[in-house]
């Protein structure tokens, strides 16, 4: 908070918390809000990441008073069986509850999804598209390929089932899965179909953006 005050005195008023664990400790967030209040700091802020289960209404209401405008959420998939298979530790019900809380508080969401996880079908992907379009406070939606980093369970599973379509070097070049290269190919979604779904995802992202602007 002292650092925020330092930069505010230099004319900066919008702060982005690049911390995917920022909401993990509710008490820490509440303490930061109290400190902002004690210093009479008027700012706006965004956060780089929040798990759906950390969407505590009391905490978010307090943050909203201190200018919270948006949060980023890794939704990954709008399907319980896929969320369970990747050990997300959350359900679609958890995601929906989170979105409802944020919608009520008028807090925007940057949503991240993954297309092409093992076991995922076209219907699964369409459910994720529908989720992205369901909530008007989702102002940005990204759809990425899964990235099987060497040493992870996903990598070992893909290797065992002959799904890998990339070398270790190509995988590291695509760190975070934010590239367009398809690194694993599943039986349910062969590369040609995956390619078409990824093309469709760009249109979904565009619709999300246009809806928010309107």
């Amino acid at each position: 908070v002292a650092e925020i005050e330092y930069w505010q005195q230099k004319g900066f008023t919008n702060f982005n918390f690049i911390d995917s664990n920022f909401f993990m400790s509710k008490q820490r967030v509440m303490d930061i809000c109290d400190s902002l209040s004690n210093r009479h700091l008027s700012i706006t802020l965004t956060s780089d990441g929040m798990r759906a289960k950390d969407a505590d209404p009391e905490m978010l209401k307090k943050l909203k008073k201190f200018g919270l405008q948006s949060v980023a959420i890794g939704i990954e998939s709008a399907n319980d069986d896929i969320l369970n298979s990747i050990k997300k530790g959350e359900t679609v019900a958890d995601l929906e509850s989170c979105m409802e809380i944020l919608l009520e508080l008028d807090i925007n969401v940057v949503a991240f999804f993954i297309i092409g996880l093992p076991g995922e079908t076209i219907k699964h992907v369409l459910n994720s598209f529908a989720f992205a379009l369901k909530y008007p406070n989702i102002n940005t939606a990204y759809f990425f390929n899964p990235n099987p980093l060497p040493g992870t369970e996903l990598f070992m599973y893909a290797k065992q089932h002959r799904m890998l379509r990339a070398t270790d070097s190509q995988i590291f070049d695509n760190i975070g899965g934010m590239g367009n290269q398809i690194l694993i190919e599943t039986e349910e979604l062969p590369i040609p179909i995956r390619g078409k779904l990824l093309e469709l995802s760009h249109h979904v992202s565009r619709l999300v953006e246009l809806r928010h602007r309107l």
Side-chain angles (χ1 to χ4, degrees):
V1 174
E3 185 176 357
I4 290 174
E5 183 176 38
Y6 172 85
W7 288 109
Q8 190 200 48
Q9 290 173 351
K10 291 184 175 293
F12 295 92
T13 58
N14 186 33
F15 296 85
N16 185 17
F17 286 58
I18 310 295
D19 181 1
S20 295
N21 297 316
F22 177 66
F23 294 94
M24 185 174 291
S25 171
K26 174 183 175 180
Q27 187 58 53
R28 177 173 178 265
V29 173
M30 302 292 272
D31 290 343
I32 288 174
C33 288
D34 290 339
S35 187
L36 289 170
S37 178
N38 292 336
R39 294 171 186 252
H40 305 289
L41 297 177
S42 178
I43 64 172
T44 58
L45 61 96
T46 56
S47 175
D48 185 48
M50 182 178 74
R51 282 179 59 81
K53 282 190 172 182
D54 290 335
D56 180 83
E58 180 187 12
M59 174 184 67
L60 289 168
K61 285 179 183 178
K62 197 163 187 176
L63 273 173
K64 180 66 177 180
K65 291 181 180 179
F66 289 96
L68 179 62
Q69 296 180 323
S70 70
V71 297
I73 299 178
I75 293 171
E76 325 310 359
S77 173
N79 302 275
D80 281 328
D81 54 340
I82 301 299
L83 293 174
N84 184 60
S85 71
I86 64 173
K87 303 179 182 179
K88 180 69 176 178
E90 294 178 335
T91 65
V92 174
D94 293 327
L95 295 170
E96 291 176 336
S97 176
C98 171
M99 296 305 302
E100 293 293 345
I101 292 170
L102 295 170
L103 180 61
E104 182 178 349
L105 294 173
D106 192 28
I107 297 173
N108 291 327
V109 176
V110 177
F112 296 93
F113 298 85
I114 302 174
I115 294 179
L117 290 163
E120 193 170 39
T121 64
I122 293 176
K123 184 177 180 180
H124 284 119
V125 178
L126 294 179
N127 286 341
S128 291
F129 288 165
F131 191 99
L133 294 167
K134 180 178 179 180
Y135 297 96
N137 58 324
I138 295 181
N139 65 347
T140 308
Y142 293 107
F143 296 88
F144 299 126
N145 287 298
N147 192 4
L149 290 173
T152 62
E153 289 186 38
L154 178 59
F155 177 85
M156 299 306 296
Y157 182 89
K159 190 172 182 179
Q160 180 183 355
H161 292 81
R162 299 182 179 180
M163 295 178 177
L164 285 176
R165 298 295 180 267
T167 64
D168 288 4
S169 177
Q170 290 172 320
I171 291 172
F172 284 120
D173 286 342
N174 196 57
I175 193 74
M178 303 182 96
N180 292 321
Q181 185 177 357
I182 295 175
L183 305 176
I184 62 174
E185 181 179 19
T186 64
E187 181 179 349
E188 295 83 1
L189 296 178
I191 286 178
I193 295 178
R194 277 272 296 286
K196 291 180 180 180
L197 288 172
L198 287 169
E199 288 180 13
L200 184 57
S201 76
H202 298 320
H203 296 291
V204 173
S205 297
R206 183 61 176 160
L207 282 173
V208 168
E209 181 183 350
L210 288 173
R211 177 193 60 190
H212 184 73
R213 289 183 178 181
L214 295 174

